[in-house]
Amino acid sequence: MERQFTTEHLILLPGKNQRDNDFFKDMLHKDGDFRIYSGVASTEKNIQMFQNYFEVNESCFYAIFEKEHREHFIGYVGIGYQHQRFEAEFYISRPYRNRGYCTEAL
């Protein structure tokens, strides 16, 4: 059984590559802040590094959807393992920022 969480405005579902990957990579292209997010240039090769990002071993990511638009992926939140440490990670698509969604999801 999938563990789903709901908050006042959001639904969080376990990240699934098949469901979420294309939406996430599309956001990285359109939002225009890939370098800020990842630390590397916005090239197709670098964006492809995020292929299958949601089901990485030793990580736990949840896809974020607004309650009002349950089918529309707006970002993710979770715990990732990088450089021998765990880190809280999140990404919210530019049109949905500054609404407190990252804080609410965390």
Side-chain angles (χ1 to χ4, degrees), residues 46-60:
N46 287 339
I47 289 174
Q48 285 300 320
M49 289 187 312
F50 290 92
Q51 185 71 28
N52 299 321
Y53 195 63
F54 294 97
E55 296 179 61
V56 175
N57 292 336
E58 301 177 354
S59 298
C60 177

Side-chain angles (χ1 to χ4, degrees), residues 19 30 43 64 75-76 79 100 102 105:
R19 181 192 65 216
K30 289 181 179 175
T43 65
I64 301 173
Y76 79 91
I79 303 296
C102 284

Side-chain angles (χ1 to χ4, degrees), residues 1 5 9 12 14 19 23 49 52 56 65 67 95 98:
M1 180 176 179
F5 296 99
H9 302 102
L12 285 72
R19 181 192 65 216
F23 293 114
M49 289 187 312
N52 299 321
V56 175
F65 303 85
K67 279 185 177 177
N98 300 311

Side-chain angles (χ1 to χ4, degrees), residues 3-43:
R3 177 165 252 181
Q4 172 181 312
F5 296 99
T6 58
T7 66
E8 183 178 352
H9 302 102
L10 306 173
I11 297 172
L12 285 72
L13 299 173
K16 297 286 183 194
N17 289 329
Q18 187 173 5
R19 181 192 65 216
D20 306 325
N21 236 19
D22 290 339
F23 293 114
F24 181 53
K25 289 192 322 182
D26 192 45
M27 281 180 196
L28 293 176
H29 278 291
K30 289 181 179 175
D31 285 349
D33 54 4
F34 183 76
R35 181 180 290 279
I36 294 167
Y37 171 72
S38 67
V40 296
S42 177
T43 65

